[in-house]
Amino acid sequence: MRKIILSMLIIGSVISCKKQSQELSDSRPVTDSATATVAVPAALTTLSPRQASEILGKKNDTLYVTNFFATWCGPCVKEIPHFKSKIQELSGKPVKITFVSVDSKQDWETKVPAFVDEQGIRKNTVLLDGQALDGQFFASNFKKWDGSAIPFTYMRKGDQTDETLGMISEEQLTSKINSFLK
């Protein structure tokens, strides 16, 4: 019963997403009537399924680590520190770690920005427009994942890929990343 409810919640959050396009930019100044400058955080980028597929399919010398999560998912929240430490540890190396929020669109302007700011992962987070996600999207991008559960971590470097469905431990993450970098 829990699995059915969780699956329905996840599918509902993925399906309820609608297409929205926003440009990712660095902080932009906002001036109030006293002409004081206040830094406004960069808007989160929204991806369509086609854009997500293009990113997931990149084949080059960079290791792409993509973690699909939601703000309400306990295991997702629990594993974020592992990814954050890898972002810092691998800075300057050919590794790109991205968090993909599959929260419902109604949370894109409120809960998700607050969450990613609190976690310190705004620069590494995108929103997935999941309204058009279907079996073909999952079948063409993943071997294991059908979108029914999160967290999900996908790694790609060239033609080599790895998929982890469910929470990934810090040791697993380190081992998997190291296997790509050797």
Side-chain angles (χ1 to χ4, degrees):
M1 184 68 173
R2 284 174 104 182
K3 288 182 180 180
I4 292 171
I5 293 171
L6 179 59
S7 295
M8 292 175 73
L9 284 171
I10 292 168
I11 290 170
S13 71
V14 170
I15 291 173
S16 69
C17 299
K18 293 183 182 173
K19 187 174 185 177
Q20 176 185 346
S21 178
Q22 295 180 0
E23 294 292 321
L24 178 62
S25 62
D26 293 324
S27 295
R28 54 186 184 263
V30 173
T31 307
D32 65 11
S33 59
T35 65
T37 301
V38 177
V40 175
L44 292 168
T45 299
T46 302
L47 299 179
S48 68
R50 180 188 56 77
Q51 292 168 317
S53 291
E54 289 171 6
I55 291 168
L56 292 167
K58 284 187 179 180
K59 295 181 182 182
N60 56 38
D61 291 340
T62 298
L63 169 58
Y64 296 94
V65 179
T66 308
N67 179 258
F68 293 82
F69 80 99
T71 58
W72 48 264
C73 167
C76 301
V77 175
K78 212 170 177 183
E79 68 182 9
I80 287 174
H82 311 327
F83 289 95
K84 284 176 58 177
S85 70
K86 288 298 170 193
I87 290 169
Q88 292 174 351
E89 178 186 325
L90 301 169
S91 178
K93 297 195 177 180
V95 178
K96 180 167 176 49
I97 297 175
T98 304
F99 297 95
V100 179
S101 170
V102 294
D103 285 273
S104 69
K105 187 177 178 184
Q106 69 187 25
D107 295 332
W108 286 4
E109 298 295 325
T110 55
K111 291 180 183 175
V112 177
F115 177 84
V116 298
D117 288 342
E118 179 183 312
Q119 295 293 325
I121 58 172
R122 179 179 280 265
K123 290 181 181 179
N124 298 79
T125 302
V126 297
L127 305 168
L128 178 60
D129 176 5
Q131 183 179 12
L133 292 182
D134 57 15
Q136 178 61 36
F137 170 81
F138 295 105
S140 64
N141 289 296
F142 311 109
K143 294 175 187 168
K144 295 180 184 177
W145 195 40
D146 63 4
S148 64
I150 52 174
F152 176 72
T153 302
Y154 179 74
M155 298 184 193
R156 174 183 285 280
K157 181 178 179 186
D159 288 325
Q160 183 183 359
T161 63
D162 183 81
E163 299 180 16
T164 303
L165 182 57
M167 192 172 120
I168 190 168
S169 70
E170 188 167 12
E171 294 78 20
Q172 288 174 305
L173 182 61
T174 298
S175 175
K176 288 176 183 259
I177 287 174
N178 288 343
S179 74
F180 279 93
L181 296 179
K182 53 178 165 168

